[in-house]
Amino acid sequence: MGENDAALRAGGRGLSDPWTDSVGVRPRTTERHITVHKRLVLAFAVSIVALLAVTMLAVLLSLRFDECGASAAPGADGGPAGFPARGGNASLPGSARRNHHAGGDSSQPEVGGEATPGTPSAQPPSEEEREQWQPWTQLRLSGHLKPLHYNLMLTAFMENFTFSGEVNVEIACRNATRYVVLHASRVAVEKVQVAEDRVAGAVPVAGFFLYPQTQVLVVVLNRTLDAQRNYNLKIIYNALIENELLGFFRSSYVLHGERRFLGVTQFSPTHARKAFPCFDEPIYKATFKISIKHQATYLSLSNMPVETSVFEEDGWVTDHFSQTPLMSTYYLAWAICNFTYKETTTKSGVAVSILNLNMFLDTVYTV
């Protein structure tokens, strides 16, 4: 009876002394586990709070960055930030900033003159207007404007891998707007003009600026374009013939120990904007008429056959190509090279040309 009473007092309900001792240790082990669990829960809660704080800080910084980018603070010449100084081609080699033909070639703009009415020195829209709507911050174009036809004139300087261009875009205004927003990337815009027709005359341009975040050119007008009317947008610009496989880029090959260069295009899926300002989305289909001016030692190719070639006394030639069918910008292509070719005409009257590419079989193609 004495042993049983002692076991009961020890909480073992009649168990022997060894079992009583083991039962007595378990409460201390449970307390230690509870302490560890509390610490783990506390550490997890602290990590969740820290994660939330970092996320909120990242969101606030992102919003602040967007506001700073949209503000487009004036640059060194008074124009919007990120845009070249007046003249627009300060980053290009010196020979690309000259008027190659003093005779007044429209595709090679004179540098240093006033870029009116579309001068980049004009201020971007006010903060009040930005707060209402910022079409240039959207990933897709608004759809207020639709291109109908492009007339593109290019002058390629293969000696320093630069080119100048003039693009005239006939656009249809679907909804009234004060902003002309189209894609442009890695181009220096010299001048922008907007006109309705010969009777109504020019539409005053307050200014223009590039918005690199969405790769667009924004033209700010002094008045609203009327819906259901057509307008002509004229942009004079210049750019580099890039050393990469996108947009209008350069390549080279070696023939008989001599390195030769060529300029070709790769616009798919969204790289036509690197060669000329355009509505660079597949939904915007239009017709294209291309003219390419180059040295007579080269030949030019494009989607359509050459209509006429105009030779000049200083060793330059301008090829005017036929108008393309209705198509998206990424289908457009051109090349400037000195390949040889053979041409014949089929029985049905279709001209077929075969370029001589045998040089690539014995040489290394480099970029």
Side-chain angles (χ1 to χ4, degrees), residues 184-199:
S185 178
R186 301 184 185 181
V187 298
V189 178
E190 298 280 352
K191 186 176 181 180
V192 177
Q193 290 180 330
V194 179
E196 185 171 353
D197 51 42
R198 293 183 179 179
V199 178

Side-chain angles (χ1 to χ4, degrees), residues 11-294:
R13 294 182 183 180
L15 298 176
S16 62
D17 289 340
W19 284 103
T20 301
D21 294 338
S22 65
V23 172
V25 174
R26 288 183 181 175
R28 292 195 298 271
T29 304
T30 303
E31 290 176 0
R32 189 161 56 249
H33 288 172
I34 291 175
T35 302
V36 173
H37 291 165
K38 286 181 177 179
R39 291 178 180 176
L40 291 176
V41 171
L42 179 61
F44 181 73
V46 171
S47 63
I48 292 296
V49 172
L51 180 61
L52 292 175
V54 172
T55 303
M56 293 178 62
L57 180 61
V59 171
L60 291 175
L61 291 177
S62 177
L63 292 176
R64 181 59 181 169
F65 177 78
D66 289 342
E67 291 175 359
C68 294
S71 62
D77 68 335
F83 195 80
R86 183 183 296 274
N89 57 355
S91 62
L92 298 182
S95 57
R97 297 197 291 265
R98 73 185 188 276
N99 190 344
H100 187 79
H101 299 284
D105 177 20
S106 60
S107 62
Q108 177 67 18
E110 182 178 355
V111 176
E114 291 293 327
T116 56
T119 170
S121 62
Q123 294 293 337
S126 64
E127 290 293 336
E128 195 175 272
E129 291 173 330
R130 288 195 189 96
E131 290 176 0
Q132 294 176 0
W133 187 48
Q134 299 178 355
W136 51 89
T137 63
Q138 307 301 313
L139 295 179
R140 297 286 301 274
L141 298 180
S142 64
H144 293 340
L145 302 173
K146 176 186 177 182
L148 302 176
H149 177 73
Y150 293 85
N151 191 0
L152 179 60
M153 292 167 283
L154 302 171
T155 300
F157 304 98
M158 296 300 294
E159 69 275 10
N160 62 0
F161 306 116
T162 63
F163 71 100
S164 63
E166 176 183 320
V167 58
N168 290 270
V169 190
E170 183 183 355
I171 53 178
C173 183
R174 294 172 169 177
N175 300 299
T177 179
R178 280 191 58 221
Y179 306 112
V180 178
V181 182
L182 68 163
H183 292 105
S185 178
R186 301 184 185 181
V187 298
V189 178
E190 298 280 352
K191 186 176 181 180
V192 177
Q193 290 180 330
V194 179
E196 185 171 353
D197 51 42
R198 293 183 179 179
V199 178
V203 178
V205 176
F208 56 85
F209 61 94
L210 290 171
Y211 191 73
Q213 289 87 336
T214 51
Q215 299 184 346
V216 295
L217 168 66
V218 183
V219 182
V220 185
L221 305 175
N222 282 332
R223 73 170 180 87
T224 301
L225 299 181
D226 298 325
Q228 309 305 319
R229 305 202 68 169
N230 292 354
Y231 297 86
N232 184 75
L233 173 65
K234 178 180 179 180
I235 302 173
I236 296 176
Y237 67 99
N238 52 64
L240 297 173
I241 302 177
E242 298 284 355
N243 190 24
E244 61 178 7
L245 302 177
L246 299 172
F248 184 23
F249 64 95
R250 64 181 183 267
S251 297
S252 67
Y253 60 94
V254 178
L255 180 64
H256 304 310
E258 177 188 359
R259 181 167 295 280
R260 298 185 179 185
F261 294 92
L262 64 154
V264 293
T265 60
Q266 171 58 45
F267 291 160
S268 178
T270 58
H271 301 292
R273 64 192 69 180
K274 294 181 174 68
F276 65 104
C278 58
F279 295 79
D280 198 15
E281 293 180 10
I283 193 174
Y284 295 106
K285 294 178 172 59
T287 55
F288 297 81
K289 200 168 193 318
I290 310 296
S291 297
I292 301 177
K293 187 174 185 178
H294 55 84

